[in-house]
Amino acid sequence: MSYQEVNFDGLVGPTHNYAGLSFGNVASARFASQPSNPKAAALQGLAKMKMLSDLGLSQGVIAPHARPALHLLRKLGFTGTDSQVVEKAFAYNPTLVSSSFSSSAMWTANAATVCPSTDSNDGKVHFTAANLSNKLHRAIEAPLTSKILKATFADEGYFSHHPALPMHDYFADEGAANHTRLCAQHGGKGLHLFVYGREAFNSQAPAPTKFPARHTKEASEAVARLHQIGAQQSLFVQQNPDVIDQGVFHNDVIAVGNERMLFCHEQAFVNQSQTLDDIKRAYGEVTQGEQLIITQVENEQVSIDDAIGSYLFNSQLITLNNGGFALIAPGECERIDSVNRYLQQLVERNVLEKVHYVDLKQSMQNGGGPACLRLRVVLNQAELTGVNPQCLLDDTLYLTLCSWVNKHYRDRLTLEDLRDPQLISESYQALDELTQIMALGSIYDFQI
Ligand code: SUG
């Protein structure tokens, strides 16, 4: 049976805004309170999906979350009509209101961790929704993420959905942003590389001091158990706390892997050289003697600052249909000299067949690059038929979604605009229509 990796990208929602909610994410802090452009954000995301689809790859779409999340504000004691709730909460603390309008669900790398059927004991594709416990606007996402994943990966015969881990600091889980599967080919057995920021049950382990380590080893271990991945196929390694303190809030900001290649910065992991040896050895065992290609970028070639500014490692490393590798890189990589030079050299050395640059400025300004916007799901042909077909991109769905965005989305949103009662109904109306376009059923609990 042939397997392929399908990227499921998050569709940006109608209230995409810059609220500076993500301490430790430098772009989020830098663009706080600047006007956003939700329409451009959604169209940029759709253009990336279309590019992958035009490269001949299957491409999926994951629906956005319903915002504002008035249930959050109501739970905190704000009462009245929808607009009164927003107004009262705004008078109390505007950040609460922006948390209820903000959604990080577009960055589906954080939505869940996924294990393909080749690697789980029961032969099913496993999903665990991430609890995203680290930030308020994200900690409210898991229940709806689970609903959306179930509506997307609908066939229970193929897909096993696990609820998020307990919402506690010990089990802080950031999903696939901290998980990479390495394998000889997508359909072969894979090594699951889980990268954590700290250990909850070991206070002696290294940890950052300035910014939070969002993800624990204990969360990754729980996900590996739930997904029934064999012990030999799981490896738990620690992210370098020094780079977390410089703004590398997820492993996917400093490393990316695909099939037989791991592409990372030389400061990505704790005890890097030992860690890379461990990864190579484990990969060799899982793949029965295959060799992992490690492309390690030195600080002299690309500094941590340039890696964060360009989001080089948040590129999508993909296998083309001819077996070659391409990189889908943010446009910022072309504009930062060190990164541009480095990438040209990777193409000259035939490590990469091609680099495709994509304009994702609206997402980048909140700290999300190409790889954040996608959840990778390895599926065989039969499993692909179990996916809701309206969540798989073809030209018709692409055009329908573009005109849906053009019809409903604003091209400018500021903090002050969140007080506009019209925005609430506009957003709900748009999403209600989307449930029909994508045949999602009643996943949202708002009343139109
Ligand atoms: O969690 N930004 C997201 C970006 C997520 C990027 N994902 C990966 N690296 N996989 C975050 O920090 C910004 C919200 C705001 O400030 O308005 C935000 O949630």
Side-chain angles (χ1 to χ4, degrees):
M1 182 102 62
S2 75
Y3 285 78
Q4 58 182 307
E5 176 185 276
V6 187
N7 286 284
F8 284 81
D9 279 47
L11 190 55
V12 180
T15 62
H16 165 72
N17 70 95
Y18 300 130
L21 299 172
S22 278
F23 178 61
N25 166 344
V26 289
S28 155
R30 184 161 159 229
F31 289 93
S33 306
Q34 303 244 354
S36 65
N37 183 337
K39 184 180 284 186
L43 294 175
Q44 287 169 358
L46 279 162
K48 171 167 90 80
M49 298 184 218
K50 175 80 164 86
M51 169 190 269
L52 269 96
S53 165
D54 288 346
L55 286 171
L57 306 178
S58 298
Q59 175 68 50
V61 189
I62 292 194
H65 279 218
R67 291 289 178 271
L70 293 175
H71 60 88
L72 168 68
L73 303 179
R74 289 187 191 280
K75 262 190 200 162
L76 295 171
F78 300 105
T79 54
T81 62
D82 290 354
S83 53
Q84 285 167 342
V85 165
V86 169
E87 208 39 53
K88 287 177 188 172
F90 198 92
Y92 175 74
N93 181 349
T95 304
L96 265 187
V97 172
S98 40
S99 295
S100 77
F101 275 86
S102 240
S103 162
S104 78
M106 61 195 266
W107 299 294
T108 49
N110 300 111
T113 310
V114 186
C115 173
S117 55
T118 45
D119 297 341
S120 70
N121 230 350
D122 65 357
K124 283 195 173 185
V125 184
H126 287 254
F127 296 81
T128 296
N131 60 25
L132 305 180
S133 63
N134 193 259
K135 307 273 180 269
L136 175 64
H137 69 292
R138 304 166 77 243
I140 58 176
E141 289 182 2
L144 181 53
T145 297
S146 284
K147 268 192 184 177
I148 294 174
L149 289 174
K150 283 181 190 161
T152 308
F153 302 95
D155 191 327
E156 289 175 7
Y158 295 122
F159 305 119
S160 174
H161 293 276
H162 305 277
L165 301 180
M167 188 64 76
H168 186 275
D169 213 33
Y170 284 176
F171 297 103
D173 179 12
E174 295 285 316
N178 291 330
H179 169 260
T180 306
R181 178 174 177 268
L182 300 164
C183 53
Q185 314 84 32
H186 291 307
K189 283 241 170 283
L191 172 68
H192 292 255
L193 182 64
F194 290 94
V195 186
Y196 58 89
R198 65 187 158 91
E199 291 185 44
F201 297 158
N202 174 8
S203 55
Q204 305 306 311
T209 53
K210 184 175 168 200
F211 290 145
R214 294 188 184 186
H215 191 118
T216 65
K217 182 181 187 191
E218 290 76 1
S220 292
E221 289 169 337
V223 170
R225 278 191 296 273
L226 288 164
H227 291 190
Q228 305 180 23
I229 305 170
Q232 197 205 19
Q233 282 180 261
S234 305
L235 191 65
F236 304 92
V237 304
Q238 184 166 10
Q239 198 188 339
N240 178 359
D242 295 342
V243 297
I244 296 181
D245 276 340
Q246 291 171 65
V248 181
F249 58 100
H250 286 139
N251 175 62
D252 72 3
V253 179
I254 193 117
V256 59
N258 175 51
E259 290 193 323
R260 60 191 178 280
M261 191 191 291
L262 178 64
F263 177 47
C264 63
H265 193 274
E266 68 171 343
Q267 291 180 39
F269 306 109
V270 165
N271 297 329
Q272 179 117 342
S273 117
Q274 178 63 51
T275 297
L276 294 184
D277 284 348
D278 293 345
I279 297 172
K280 271 191 260 183
R281 186 193 29 77
Y283 178 85
E285 281 168 19
V286 168
T287 59
Q288 295 179 329
E290 296 284 333
Q291 285 234 320
L292 182 68
I293 302 166
I294 298 186
T295 304
Q296 189 179 202
V297 185
E298 289 164 19
N299 212 34
E300 282 188 1
Q301 297 170 298
V302 178
S303 66
I304 294 292
D305 263 5
D306 282 356
I308 296 174
S310 64
Y311 258 41
L312 166 63
F313 298 99
N314 204 263
S315 299
Q316 284 177 251
L317 183 58
I318 55 164
T319 310
L320 299 166
N321 287 336
N322 65 7
F325 280 12
L327 205 67
I328 311 295
E332 285 73 359
C333 289
E334 209 174 9
R335 290 192 282 282
I336 295 185
D337 284 347
S338 62
V339 178
N340 188 14
R341 259 196 316 274
Y342 184 81
L343 285 176
Q344 277 177 18
Q345 184 210 315
L346 284 189
V347 176
E348 281 156 20
R349 284 169 41 208
N350 289 324
V351 176
L352 296 176
E353 220 168 83
K354 194 163 167 62
V355 180
H356 296 272
Y357 295 99
V358 283
D359 175 8
L360 294 170
K361 193 160 168 259
Q362 284 292 318
S363 166
M364 289 283 285
Q365 293 184 164
N366 247 345
C372 301
L373 284 161
R374 60 96 174 94
L375 183 68
R376 295 187 279 189
V377 187
V378 169
L379 298 170
N380 63 32
Q381 285 311 314
E383 290 156 357
L384 193 58
T385 64
V387 175
N388 176 343
Q390 288 304 108
C391 300
L392 292 170
L393 196 79
D394 57 14
D395 286 354
T396 311
L397 182 60
Y398 172 71
L399 292 173
T400 309
L401 290 175
C402 288
S403 56
W404 171 78
V405 169
N406 280 315
K407 175 175 160 200
H408 292 285
Y409 282 44
R410 297 190 185 190
D411 57 14
R412 186 183 150 90
L413 218 48
T414 61
L415 178 63
E416 199 51 34
D417 293 325
L418 307 185
R419 304 170 74 176
D420 174 3
Q422 188 62 32
L423 182 63
I424 306 175
S425 48
E426 258 172 50
S427 171
Y428 290 172
Q429 196 83 49
L431 294 170
D432 192 46
E433 202 176 305
L434 185 71
T435 57
Q436 286 155 45
I437 296 173
M438 294 181 69
L440 294 167
S442 47
I443 49 168
Y444 302 123
D445 55 7
F446 52 73
Q447 305 287 317
I448 291 282

